Amino acid sequence: MTLFAKIITGEIPCHRVYDDAHVLAFLDINPLSRAHTLVIPKERCASLRDLSDDAGAAIGRVLPRIVRAAMAASGGTGCNVLCNDGADAGQEVMHVHFHVIPRVGDHGLRRTWRPGRLDPEDVAEILDVMHQSMARIG
Ligand code: AMP
C-alpha cells in the first residue's frame, strides 16, 4: 500500500485541505512554497494513464477551487499545477497526485524548459498515433 493510500484510510495523518467521496487534498509535508497542496484521487492508481475518467473528472472539478484556496493562503502571484507521472518524470509516491504550487516571490517551482520547435513533417504522424490511442481508450 502506498503512503498516500494510507493517508486516505487515515492510517497516516495529513493536513487536510479538501475531502469528498473521490478526492482528497492535503498540504505537502516538504513544500516548495506556502500552501503547496497535493490533490489525489481516492481511487488507488499509480499513473494518470490508468486513472478512470470519473476519478479524473472529480479531480478536475475541484482543482480550480484548490488553486484559489492555495493562492489565498499564500498570497501567491502565480501557481504551477503539475503531475509527475512515472519514475522517469520524477514521481516518488506511486499514487496519482497533482501538485498545486503557488509562486510566492522566490518560492515555488523553478522551471527549466528546453523547448524545441514543432516539426511540420512530423505533425501528421504524431496526430495519427495520438488519435488512434484516444480512440482505443475512449
Ligand atoms: P512526487 O515526487 O511527485 O511523487 O511528490 C511526492 C510528494 O509527496 C513530495 O512533494 C513530498 O514532499 C510529498 N509527501 C511525502 N510524504 C508526505 C506526507 N506524509 N504528507 C504530505 N506530503 C508528503
Side-chain angles (χ1 to χ4, degrees):
M1 200 196 265
T2 66
L3 180 69
F4 290 174
K6 289 181 183 170
I7 287 179
I8 290 168
T9 62
E11 201 177 317
I12 292 177
C14 72
H15 299 288
R16 192 166 52 85
V17 171
Y18 176 86
D19 193 4
D20 70 22
H22 306 288
V23 180
L24 177 67
F26 50 95
L27 296 180
D28 194 302
I29 207 162
N30 295 123
L32 292 185
S33 61
R34 187 172 167 84
H36 177 168
T37 301
L38 298 174
V39 186
I40 70 174
K42 289 193 175 173
E43 181 174 299
R44 271 194 212 164
C45 185
S47 168
L48 197 52
R49 278 164 284 175
D50 301 317
L51 193 67
S52 71
D53 284 359
D54 283 350
I59 288 178
R61 205 175 137 270
V62 297
L63 260 180
R65 267 184 282 165
I66 293 167
V67 168
R68 283 194 291 274
M71 291 186 74
S74 62
T77 52
C79 191
N80 292 100
V81 178
L82 86 148
C83 173
N84 299 324
D85 195 64
D88 286 347
Q91 183 178 7
E92 288 182 358
V93 180
M94 293 301 158
H95 182 116
V96 174
H97 53 281
F98 287 85
H99 293 260
V100 173
I101 310 169
R103 184 73 193 195
V104 189
D106 249 7
H107 300 278
L109 185 70
R110 286 180 193 278
R111 300 179 311 168
T112 31
W113 293 78
R114 284 183 297 163
R117 185 177 287 272
L118 185 60
D119 179 355
E121 288 182 14
D122 202 18
V123 168
E125 190 187 332
I126 293 170
L127 290 182
D128 188 41
V129 173
M130 291 183 78
H131 289 156
Q132 281 184 42
S133 168
M134 294 181 79
R136 265 201 308 280
I137 294 163

